[in-house]
Amino acid sequence: MSLIWEQQHDGVCYQVRRRRTTLELYANGVQHSEFHPRRLVTGSVWDLLWLPALLGEPERLRRVLVLGLGGGTLIPPLRRLLKPECLVAVEMDPLHLTVAREVFQVIDDDMETVEGDAVRWLRDYQGPPFDLIIEDLFAPRDESVTRAVAADRDWCDSLSRHVSEQGVLVMNFGDYREFRDSHAAGSAAMAGWASRFRLSCGDCHNAVVAFSRLPARSVHLRRRVQEHPALASFVRDGRLNYHIRQLN
């Protein structure tokens, strides 16, 4: 592994390391993003964040919001699979945005990026709802993988208010216990949602939870992955590594 980019900012050491053709973004030694210029999948937690878009008909997900862009790992698969009409990303960390724009080079004219606090931005937002919200808020100062924003009632309600009638909400938790102990795991969090799923993979402890407005089943996601020409080969060779189960 070679170091190709490094900066210090506000007590945090940011590095981008290259592993063969893979680029990895670290903050204080904790990996925050991974980018494969030649393929859509990472084989790790970042795949779990966009996979729920395949729970329903991807063409319905026209407006996409990413809260916590990091280095922008999610942007290429979202573009390829959804072709969204509107793509907005909010990121508090200016160095993450620098990596996404200058190192990973995933920010283009087809998306809007906002440097700022995702919680404040969403609570102030007055525009039309989003069909897909991916919430992936982890602090660069942390030396362990834990959420930067508590998944309490206020935050879950704020997220839910901005998801459309056909939409999907995806939330990333450091592990299943963190999800289990949050408001998002309770029955009250299911108000307005038809289905809830947990996604996981073998090489990380994260628990990614997806809420769907429309009734959905995990078999539908698996089928769409198998039938998609850009994804099926990754499943066959084991590079798209995921497990999904319904929680309600």
Side-chain angles (χ1 to χ4, degrees), residues 91-226:
E91 173 58 55
M92 176 180 284
D93 193 310
L95 270 295
H96 282 181
L97 285 172
T98 297
V99 170
R101 183 177 294 108
E102 300 178 10
V103 185
F104 291 2
Q105 297 183 349
V106 296
I107 294 178
D108 210 338
D109 293 339
D110 66 340
M111 67 180 291
E112 177 186 352
T113 56
V114 179
E115 181 184 329
D117 183 286
V119 175
R120 185 176 301 125
W121 185 90
L122 191 65
R123 287 175 177 165
D124 292 342
Y125 177 72
Q126 300 294 322
F130 294 91
D131 303 311
L132 174 64
I133 295 181
I134 298 175
E135 188 257 41
D136 184 29
L137 299 174
F138 288 81
R141 288 182 176 273
D142 291 352
E143 295 184 3
S144 61
V145 182
T146 54
R147 291 174 52 83
V149 177
D152 57 18
R153 179 185 292 273
D154 286 347
W155 181 231
C156 290
D157 288 350
S158 182
L159 289 164
S160 180
R161 281 195 300 272
H162 294 289
V163 179
S164 70
E165 295 179 354
Q166 65 210 15
V168 174
L169 167 66
V170 182
M171 302 179 71
N172 192 4
F173 294 82
D175 56 27
Y176 187 71
R177 176 180 294 182
E178 189 176 42
F179 164 67
R180 185 194 62 195
D181 294 342
S182 73
H183 175 78
S187 58
M190 284 304 295
W193 302 103
S195 305
R196 178 171 57 184
F197 302 85
R198 177 195 175 186
L199 293 92
S200 58
C201 61
D203 77 336
C204 69
H205 297 291
N206 295 62
V208 172
V209 178
F211 297 80
S212 175
R213 292 287 194 211
L214 302 178
R217 294 176 59 197
S218 58
V219 66
H220 297 154
L221 182 147
R222 295 188 187 98
R223 184 180 301 128
R224 290 188 176 97
V225 170
Q226 293 283 0

